[in-house]
Amino acid sequence: MSYKVYEELKDHMKKVALYDTILSLLDWDEKVMMPAKAAEYRSDQLSLLAGLQHEQLTDPKIPDLLEKAEEETKSLDPESPEKTNIREWKRLFDRASKLPTSLVQEKSKIQSAAHQAWLQARKENTFTTLQPNLEKMFAISRQIADCYGYESNPYDALIEEYEQGITCAEVLSIFSDFKEKLVPLVQRVADSNNKPDISFLQRNYPFELQILFVKDVVSRFGYDFERGRLDGTEHPFCTTLGPNDTRITTRRSAENFGSNFYSVLHEAGHGMYEQNLDTEHFGTPRGTYTSLGIHESQSRMWENLVGRSSTFWEYWYPKAKQTFNALEDVNQVDFYRAVNAFAPSLIRTEADELTYNIHVFIRTEIEIALLNDDLKVSDIPEIWNQKYKEYLGVDVPDDLNGCLQDIHWSYGLIGYFPTYTLGNLYAAQLFAKAEKDLGGNLLSLFSEGKFTPLLHWLRKNVHLHGQTYLARDLIKKATGEPLNPSYLVNYLTKKVDTIYG
């Protein structure tokens, strides 16, 4: 049956998605290939397109189209692609229409300028270079939160962009309960006399060989290089520019095997999610990822639950040893223990599975305080260093290894950080259900180099649903129960027992 008004609405909204992919292409180029002196003009380009996209998204005819499309499709199942798209387009329009085009354009200009300031601040190793732009970013983020509206906390309005349906209070409650269970595990590791030797991970691993090796690995996972590519950048990311164009990046390092290797596994996890969405529905909510928390569950699953498992290295370690001379005197067991070592560290993206979430807790607490004016931007280095000492027992030597390490705040991604820990929780629960559904031998399949059964399970139970369900509902549908942090706690406890005895 043909739905004439719905099709007209879909054509209109697909143009919004088209603008989004063009903006993403310019953003990818800015972070990967663009010469530094092109930054000012790129800012103008991004601002113009962001404004045009916003005008398309807030076109006055959309409410009428939405109302008529709802009536036209009222007999359809609520989980049908049409009903899913109408529901999410309505939400998208409602949020976008609360923002003046001038505010959207201004944020885009601040983003571009702040990104360049962040790059320069990292070169100079001084937060003050970024501070003025960051003050503008948090100021405009407060304006945006006020435009959206919220009941109890401006953070609610911003986190809704990344994890629909969750509130600041819920996040803090989940994190508080989870933190209580993490602390004893961290203490057990600290008290252990059976710590792995990780020194050989800092030897020379030629970057070109690393890339060849890791591309082989993620290809075996199911990342399609005919529909994607891998490039270098300052801060690793994944971006989708079309139904057959999903790109991943990594930070170049020849002296740290884990830094590059696990970064690529992480981004490939994001990439495989994007590549396994339903291309028939590309440019609509039905063909769009559920939430950033679910997105992060895919990257963290392939990075950690797969890529740090003993059976994964049963298959890949002989190949790694053939590839890298640095591993000539290292046996498989010692290597496995090393890549799973737990120790407090400075850098979030290189943190172990156990302490990683504490990095997220710190950032979440700081950005909530900043957004609520309980903290000044100028205070970030001091509070950052203080929390790292209190929570992880480490001294932050400088801004580069402290508050300048992440791109998120300079790019206006306020409310994004909680999705990292939510992703870890989702990942453990999804993996446990996949293992059960696949006969309890999922890990043994890895030792044979068989990774696609997991990808196929994820495609069926997560990827193909798009935005049919909220994240909390998708988890319940896929696993049979609501979000349950015990899966991640049990996984981490077992690993602590295995590595530290």
Side-chain angles (χ1 to χ4, degrees), residues 14-28 49 53 239-243 245 282-283:
K14 276 197 166 186
K15 291 177 183 176
V16 175
L18 190 60
Y19 274 118
D20 199 50
T21 56
I22 297 170
L23 285 162
S24 294
L25 176 59
L26 289 174
D27 177 64
W28 175 87
L49 285 169
Q53 182 194 38
T239 190
T240 293
L241 311 179
D245 190 353
F282 184 84

Side-chain angles (χ1 to χ4, degrees), residues 174-291:
I174 293 169
F175 283 12
S176 177
D177 293 343
F178 186 32
K179 192 190 302 183
E180 284 185 13
K181 296 177 176 65
L182 279 183
V183 170
L185 288 176
V186 174
Q187 191 59 50
R188 279 183 58 192
V189 170
D191 293 342
S192 173
N193 294 319
N194 186 29
K195 292 182 172 62
D197 175 16
I198 63 172
S199 60
F200 52 80
L201 295 179
Q202 307 298 321
R203 294 174 180 174
N204 182 47
Y205 297 87
F207 184 71
E208 294 76 13
L209 294 180
Q210 288 190 55
I211 293 299
L212 290 174
F213 179 68
V214 77
K215 287 180 75 171
D216 191 16
V217 172
V218 297
S219 293
R220 182 64 67 94
F221 282 176
Y223 180 81
D224 186 354
F225 278 98
E226 291 188 353
R227 300 170 61 210
R229 55 182 291 128
L230 172 62
D231 295 279
T233 190
E234 183 67 20
H235 189 101
F237 66 98
C238 169
T239 190
T240 293
L241 311 179
N244 294 296
D245 190 353
T246 294
R247 308 183 186 190
I248 58 177
T249 64
T250 186
R251 183 183 290 130
R252 297 177 177 89
S253 172
E255 290 77 33
N256 187 326
F257 175 81
S259 177
N260 174 59
F261 180 78
Y262 284 107
S263 169
V264 176
L265 263 58
H266 181 97
E267 299 306 334
H270 283 304
M272 288 186 289
Y273 186 5
E274 293 287 333
Q275 289 181 341
N276 283 279
L277 292 166
D278 195 334
T279 55
E280 178 187 348
H281 297 287
F282 184 84
T284 75
R286 182 62 177 73
T288 303
Y289 63 88
T290 305
S291 74

